[in-house]
Amino acid sequence: EVQLVQSGAEVKKPGESLKISCKGSGYSFTSYWIGWVRQMPGKGLEWMGIIYPGDSDTRYSPSFQGQVTISADKSISTAYLQWSSLKASDTAMYYCARLVTGTMAYFDYWGQGTLVTVSS
Amino acid sequence: EIVMTQSPATLSVSPGERATLSCRASQSVSSNLAWYQQKPGQAPRLLIYGASTRATGIPARFSGSGSGTEFTLTISSLQSEDFAVYYCQQYNNWPGAFGQGTKVEIK
């Protein structure tokens, strides 16, 4: 069974750093792109970027380029999303999801989401 | 970037009735269009891909149609578990873009 299990909720202060994780199982983790999707409170879904764990090839949506860093450790089947300096506007639910094929595809499996709250 | 626009924002429907949701792309995305369902407190779930192919385990009352810039998701007879928010997503051009969602609520 394909599963993506994300790390738990985080409460941080503005300016702090953060790294959240997404662990894949039940499939060949290195053979599928993993994407990150943001959902701000009460809002829709936003495509942030994707990574291919096989070689760590990473692509960012222009809106998120320079704002976050996506990485992966294929040895433990885990993808990451990190911030070096959080802002209140980073408060959101973040989902990881598996892309069916290639870089331009739809998401067939989703993690349960990680809620990030940034508040002073 | 391609912009996806969904309408209406909210659709009030009685159980057993038909629901028709629309999604429009700012330029052609061919048939590279997916639909997702999201219930409160849950991650999105894939319903339709390739504009009209149901994902595994999705009931036949869900159907998708369209190509190019105009797409439709139809729920033929709404069940209680279908009241949720629905998103379209294009995957023809980078970055893949989602619509803003249509909330299907009980009338």
Side-chain angles (χ1 to χ4, degrees):
Chain A
E1 178 194 7
V2 174
Q3 282 194 309
L4 295 171
V5 178
Q6 298 185 231
S7 50
E10 302 274 0
V11 179
K12 292 288 190 180
K13 290 181 167 35
E16 292 185 332
S17 62
L18 176 64
K19 192 173 190 178
I20 63 174
S21 66
C22 168
K23 183 174 177 61
S25 63
Y27 73 101
S28 176
F29 186 73
T30 54
S31 300
Y32 291 83
W33 291 79
I34 289 285
W36 286 95
V37 175
R38 182 175 78 174
Q39 187 167 40
M40 298 179 76
K43 302 299 184 183
L45 306 171
E46 299 174 90
W47 180 302
M48 300 177 71
I50 59 174
I51 188 165
Y52 189 72
D55 61 6
S56 291
D57 186 6
T58 309
R59 318 279 173 90
Y60 294 93
S61 170
S63 301
F64 292 92
Q65 179 82 48
Q67 307 304 307
V68 296
T69 301
I70 295 171
S71 61
D73 184 340
K74 63 183 179 182
S75 69
I76 54 172
S77 301
T78 301
Y80 301 97
L81 177 66
Q82 69 180 93
W83 296 260
S84 59
S85 181
L86 286 160
K87 302 184 283 286
S89 57
D90 293 317
T91 295
M93 180 72 81
Y94 293 89
Y95 294 101
C96 66
R98 190 183 81 163
L99 275 166
V100 171
T101 56
T103 59
M104 289 315 306
Y106 50 93
F107 296 111
D108 59 350
Y109 288 93
W110 293 69
Q112 83 277 20
T114 295
L115 180 61
V116 174
T117 303
V118 184
S119 174
S120 54
Chain B
E1 291 185 31
I2 294 178
V3 176
M4 307 301 292
T5 303
Q6 293 184 240
S7 61
T10 303
L11 188 60
S12 298
V13 185
S14 299
E17 288 189 341
R18 182 187 195 91
T20 302
L21 290 66
S22 295
C23 174
R24 174 177 291 177
S26 59
Q27 64 188 76
S28 176
V29 298
S30 186
S31 294
N32 296 314
L33 191 285
W35 290 94
Y36 302 87
Q37 175 194 67
Q38 187 179 33
K39 297 180 181 180
Q42 295 186 18
R45 175 176 73 145
L46 177 67
L47 295 177
I48 300 282
Y49 62 91
S52 61
T53 302
R54 280 189 302 278
T56 303
I58 301 303
R61 64 180 181 272
F62 290 92
S63 63
S65 63
S67 66
T69 62
E70 301 283 343
F71 301 88
T72 301
L73 174 69
T74 301
I75 311 171
S76 60
S77 177
L78 271 157
Q79 307 298 301
S80 57
E81 62 266 30
D82 300 335
F83 292 95
V85 180
Y86 293 83
Y87 295 94
C88 62
Q89 180 230 325
Q90 69 83 15
Y91 52 95
N92 194 67
N93 290 66
W94 179 262
F98 294 93
Q100 81 279 19
T102 290
K103 181 180 181 180
V104 177
E105 64 176 25
I106 300 174
K107 186 174 183 180

PDB file of all heavy atoms in Angstrom, chain A residues 94-111:
ATOM      1  N   TYR A  94       0.522  22.152   4.844  1.00  0.00           N
ATOM      2  CA  TYR A  94       1.399  21.751   3.747  1.00  0.00           C
ATOM      3  C   TYR A  94       1.237  20.254   3.497  1.00  0.00           C
ATOM      4  O   TYR A  94       1.340  19.438   4.420  1.00  0.00           O
ATOM      5  CB  TYR A  94       2.856  22.079   4.074  1.00  0.00           C
ATOM      6  CG  TYR A  94       3.093  23.572   4.140  1.00  0.00           C
ATOM      7  CD1 TYR A  94       2.915  24.269   5.330  1.00  0.00           C
ATOM      8  CD2 TYR A  94       3.456  24.290   3.000  1.00  0.00           C
ATOM      9  CE1 TYR A  94       3.086  25.643   5.388  1.00  0.00           C
ATOM     10  CE2 TYR A  94       3.639  25.659   3.054  1.00  0.00           C
ATOM     11  CZ  TYR A  94       3.450  26.332   4.246  1.00  0.00           C
ATOM     12  OH  TYR A  94       3.623  27.697   4.296  1.00  0.00           O
ATOM     13  N   TYR A  95       0.967  19.933   2.244  1.00  0.00           N
ATOM     14  CA  TYR A  95       0.805  18.539   1.846  1.00  0.00           C
ATOM     15  C   TYR A  95       1.955  18.115   0.936  1.00  0.00           C
ATOM     16  O   TYR A  95       2.377  18.883   0.060  1.00  0.00           O
ATOM     17  CB  TYR A  95      -0.493  18.340   1.060  1.00  0.00           C
ATOM     18  CG  TYR A  95      -1.763  18.553   1.840  1.00  0.00           C
ATOM     19  CD1 TYR A  95      -2.480  19.733   1.726  1.00  0.00           C
ATOM     20  CD2 TYR A  95      -2.259  17.563   2.679  1.00  0.00           C
ATOM     21  CE1 TYR A  95      -3.654  19.936   2.436  1.00  0.00           C
ATOM     22  CE2 TYR A  95      -3.438  17.756   3.396  1.00  0.00           C
ATOM     23  CZ  TYR A  95      -4.119  18.943   3.266  1.00  0.00           C
ATOM     24  OH  TYR A  95      -5.285  19.126   3.969  1.00  0.00           O
ATOM     25  N   CYS A  96       2.415  16.890   1.119  1.00  0.00           N
ATOM     26  CA  CYS A  96       3.250  16.275   0.096  1.00  0.00           C
ATOM     27  C   CYS A  96       2.357  15.312  -0.678  1.00  0.00           C
ATOM     28  O   CYS A  96       1.337  14.816  -0.155  1.00  0.00           O
ATOM     29  CB  CYS A  96       4.462  15.563   0.681  1.00  0.00           C
ATOM     30  SG  CYS A  96       4.088  14.114   1.693  1.00  0.00           S
ATOM     31  N   ALA A  97       2.712  15.069  -1.911  1.00  0.00           N
ATOM     32  CA  ALA A  97       1.903  14.188  -2.750  1.00  0.00           C
ATOM     33  C   ALA A  97       2.788  13.592  -3.835  1.00  0.00           C
ATOM     34  O   ALA A  97       3.789  14.207  -4.239  1.00  0.00           O
ATOM     35  CB  ALA A  97       0.734  14.957  -3.367  1.00  0.00           C
ATOM     36  N   ARG A  98       2.413  12.428  -4.310  1.00  0.00           N
ATOM     37  CA  ARG A  98       3.184  11.753  -5.343  1.00  0.00           C
ATOM     38  C   ARG A  98       2.644  12.079  -6.730  1.00  0.00           C
ATOM     39  O   ARG A  98       1.438  11.972  -6.979  1.00  0.00           O
ATOM     40  CB  ARG A  98       3.142  10.232  -5.128  1.00  0.00           C
ATOM     41  CG  ARG A  98       4.095   9.462  -6.009  1.00  0.00           C
ATOM     42  CD  ARG A  98       3.965   7.965  -5.798  1.00  0.00           C
ATOM     43  NE  ARG A  98       2.841   7.406  -6.547  1.00  0.00           N
ATOM     44  CZ  ARG A  98       2.701   6.106  -6.809  1.00  0.00           C
ATOM     45  NH1 ARG A  98       3.624   5.248  -6.362  1.00  0.00           N
ATOM     46  NH2 ARG A  98       1.646   5.661  -7.484  1.00  0.00           N
ATOM     47  N   LEU A  99       3.546  12.467  -7.627  1.00  0.00           N
ATOM     48  CA  LEU A  99       3.168  12.696  -9.018  1.00  0.00           C
ATOM     49  C   LEU A  99       3.141  11.358  -9.737  1.00  0.00           C
ATOM     50  O   LEU A  99       4.050  10.540  -9.584  1.00  0.00           O
ATOM     51  CB  LEU A  99       4.173  13.617  -9.698  1.00  0.00           C
ATOM     52  CG  LEU A  99       3.952  15.111  -9.521  1.00  0.00           C
ATOM     53  CD1 LEU A  99       5.174  15.878  -9.927  1.00  0.00           C
ATOM     54  CD2 LEU A  99       2.751  15.568 -10.313  1.00  0.00           C
ATOM     55  N   VAL A 100       2.127  11.157 -10.560  1.00  0.00           N
ATOM     56  CA  VAL A 100       1.959   9.873 -11.219  1.00  0.00           C
ATOM     57  C   VAL A 100       3.135   9.555 -12.135  1.00  0.00           C
ATOM     58  O   VAL A 100       3.748   8.492 -12.047  1.00  0.00           O
ATOM     59  CB  VAL A 100       0.638   9.838 -12.004  1.00  0.00           C
ATOM     60  CG1 VAL A 100       0.571   8.586 -12.859  1.00  0.00           C
ATOM     61  CG2 VAL A 100      -0.522   9.875 -11.046  1.00  0.00           C
ATOM     62  N   THR A 101       3.449  10.472 -13.033  1.00  0.00           N
ATOM     63  CA  THR A 101       4.583  10.242 -13.945  1.00  0.00           C
ATOM     64  C   THR A 101       5.187  11.568 -14.329  1.00  0.00           C
ATOM     65  O   THR A 101       4.456  12.526 -14.580  1.00  0.00           O
ATOM     66  CB  THR A 101       4.144   9.551 -15.254  1.00  0.00           C
ATOM     67  OG1 THR A 101       3.127  10.335 -15.881  1.00  0.00           O
ATOM     68  CG2 THR A 101       3.658   8.139 -15.019  1.00  0.00           C
ATOM     69  N   GLY A 102       6.491  11.668 -14.359  1.00  0.00           N
ATOM     70  CA  GLY A 102       7.143  12.844 -14.871  1.00  0.00           C
ATOM     71  C   GLY A 102       6.894  14.088 -14.038  1.00  0.00           C
ATOM     72  O   GLY A 102       6.339  14.037 -12.941  1.00  0.00           O
ATOM     73  N   THR A 103       7.298  15.220 -14.606  1.00  0.00           N
ATOM     74  CA  THR A 103       7.156  16.482 -13.880  1.00  0.00           C
ATOM     75  C   THR A 103       5.792  17.119 -14.083  1.00  0.00           C
ATOM     76  O   THR A 103       5.343  17.893 -13.245  1.00  0.00           O
ATOM     77  CB  THR A 103       8.226  17.484 -14.351  1.00  0.00           C
ATOM     78  OG1 THR A 103       8.062  17.694 -15.754  1.00  0.00           O
ATOM     79  CG2 THR A 103       9.620  16.967 -14.069  1.00  0.00           C
ATOM     80  N   MET A 104       5.162  16.807 -15.188  1.00  0.00           N
ATOM     81  CA  MET A 104       3.839  17.378 -15.462  1.00  0.00           C
ATOM     82  C   MET A 104       2.829  16.260 -15.365  1.00  0.00           C
ATOM     83  O   MET A 104       2.676  15.451 -16.276  1.00  0.00           O
ATOM     84  CB  MET A 104       3.811  18.033 -16.843  1.00  0.00           C
ATOM     85  CG  MET A 104       4.617  19.310 -16.914  1.00  0.00           C
ATOM     86  SD  MET A 104       4.356  20.418 -15.490  1.00  0.00           S
ATOM     87  CE  MET A 104       2.594  20.598 -15.491  1.00  0.00           C
ATOM     88  N   ALA A 105       2.195  16.183 -14.232  1.00  0.00           N
ATOM     89  CA  ALA A 105       1.263  15.088 -13.978  1.00  0.00           C
ATOM     90  C   ALA A 105       0.339  15.498 -12.840  1.00  0.00           C
ATOM     91  O   ALA A 105       0.408  16.610 -12.332  1.00  0.00           O
ATOM     92  CB  ALA A 105       2.027  13.806 -13.616  1.00  0.00           C
ATOM     93  N   TYR A 106      -0.507  14.588 -12.490  1.00  0.00           N
ATOM     94  CA  TYR A 106      -1.417  14.817 -11.374  1.00  0.00           C
ATOM     95  C   TYR A 106      -0.910  14.014 -10.180  1.00  0.00           C
ATOM     96  O   TYR A 106      -0.034  13.156 -10.300  1.00  0.00           O
ATOM     97  CB  TYR A 106      -2.844  14.396 -11.760  1.00  0.00           C
ATOM     98  CG  TYR A 106      -2.921  13.011 -12.353  1.00  0.00           C
ATOM     99  CD1 TYR A 106      -3.175  11.908 -11.559  1.00  0.00           C
ATOM    100  CD2 TYR A 106      -2.718  12.822 -13.720  1.00  0.00           C
ATOM    101  CE1 TYR A 106      -3.213  10.641 -12.094  1.00  0.00           C
ATOM    102  CE2 TYR A 106      -2.752  11.555 -14.273  1.00  0.00           C
ATOM    103  CZ  TYR A 106      -3.006  10.468 -13.455  1.00  0.00           C
ATOM    104  OH  TYR A 106      -3.038   9.215 -13.988  1.00  0.00           O
ATOM    105  N   PHE A 107      -1.480  14.324  -9.006  1.00  0.00           N
ATOM    106  CA  PHE A 107      -1.071  13.672  -7.769  1.00  0.00           C
ATOM    107  C   PHE A 107      -2.019  12.518  -7.453  1.00  0.00           C
ATOM    108  O   PHE A 107      -3.227  12.733  -7.322  1.00  0.00           O
ATOM    109  CB  PHE A 107      -1.100  14.675  -6.618  1.00  0.00           C
ATOM    110  CG  PHE A 107      -0.135  15.810  -6.758  1.00  0.00           C
ATOM    111  CD1 PHE A 107      -0.592  17.100  -6.995  1.00  0.00           C
ATOM    112  CD2 PHE A 107       1.228  15.600  -6.640  1.00  0.00           C
ATOM    113  CE1 PHE A 107       0.303  18.158  -7.109  1.00  0.00           C
ATOM    114  CE2 PHE A 107       2.130  16.652  -6.745  1.00  0.00           C
ATOM    115  CZ  PHE A 107       1.663  17.935  -6.982  1.00  0.00           C
ATOM    116  N   ASP A 108      -1.461  11.310  -7.298  1.00  0.00           N
ATOM    117  CA  ASP A 108      -2.348  10.181  -7.017  1.00  0.00           C
ATOM    118  C   ASP A 108      -2.399   9.799  -5.538  1.00  0.00           C
ATOM    119  O   ASP A 108      -3.403   9.242  -5.083  1.00  0.00           O
ATOM    120  CB  ASP A 108      -1.990   8.967  -7.881  1.00  0.00           C
ATOM    121  CG  ASP A 108      -0.567   8.466  -7.690  1.00  0.00           C
ATOM    122  OD1 ASP A 108       0.245   9.145  -7.023  1.00  0.00           O
ATOM    123  OD2 ASP A 108      -0.274   7.378  -8.212  1.00  0.00           O
ATOM    124  N   TYR A 109      -1.358  10.068  -4.798  1.00  0.00           N
ATOM    125  CA  TYR A 109      -1.360   9.797  -3.359  1.00  0.00           C
ATOM    126  C   TYR A 109      -0.883  11.036  -2.624  1.00  0.00           C
ATOM    127  O   TYR A 109       0.043  11.716  -3.065  1.00  0.00           O
ATOM    128  CB  TYR A 109      -0.457   8.601  -3.023  1.00  0.00           C
ATOM    129  CG  TYR A 109      -1.021   7.283  -3.463  1.00  0.00           C
ATOM    130  CD1 TYR A 109      -0.689   6.754  -4.705  1.00  0.00           C
ATOM    131  CD2 TYR A 109      -1.911   6.588  -2.655  1.00  0.00           C
ATOM    132  CE1 TYR A 109      -1.227   5.555  -5.135  1.00  0.00           C
ATOM    133  CE2 TYR A 109      -2.447   5.372  -3.075  1.00  0.00           C
ATOM    134  CZ  TYR A 109      -2.101   4.878  -4.317  1.00  0.00           C
ATOM    135  OH  TYR A 109      -2.635   3.687  -4.729  1.00  0.00           O
ATOM    136  N   TRP A 110      -1.532  11.294  -1.482  1.00  0.00           N
ATOM    137  CA  TRP A 110      -1.255  12.488  -0.693  1.00  0.00           C
ATOM    138  C   TRP A 110      -0.885  12.097   0.734  1.00  0.00           C
ATOM    139  O   TRP A 110      -1.417  11.121   1.272  1.00  0.00           O
ATOM    140  CB  TRP A 110      -2.485  13.389  -0.643  1.00  0.00           C
ATOM    141  CG  TRP A 110      -2.865  13.999  -1.961  1.00  0.00           C
ATOM    142  CD1 TRP A 110      -3.359  13.353  -3.059  1.00  0.00           C
ATOM    143  CD2 TRP A 110      -2.807  15.376  -2.305  1.00  0.00           C
ATOM    144  NE1 TRP A 110      -3.592  14.248  -4.076  1.00  0.00           N
ATOM    145  CE2 TRP A 110      -3.268  15.500  -3.635  1.00  0.00           C
ATOM    146  CE3 TRP A 110      -2.407  16.529  -1.623  1.00  0.00           C
ATOM    147  CZ2 TRP A 110      -3.348  16.729  -4.299  1.00  0.00           C
ATOM    148  CZ3 TRP A 110      -2.485  17.761  -2.280  1.00  0.00           C
ATOM    149  CH2 TRP A 110      -2.946  17.849  -3.602  1.00  0.00           C
ATOM    150  N   GLY A 111      -0.016  12.896   1.344  1.00  0.00           N
ATOM    151  CA  GLY A 111       0.209  12.785   2.763  1.00  0.00           C
ATOM    152  C   GLY A 111      -0.963  13.379   3.527  1.00  0.00           C
ATOM    153  O   GLY A 111      -1.861  13.990   2.933  1.00  0.00           O
TER     154      GLY A 111
END
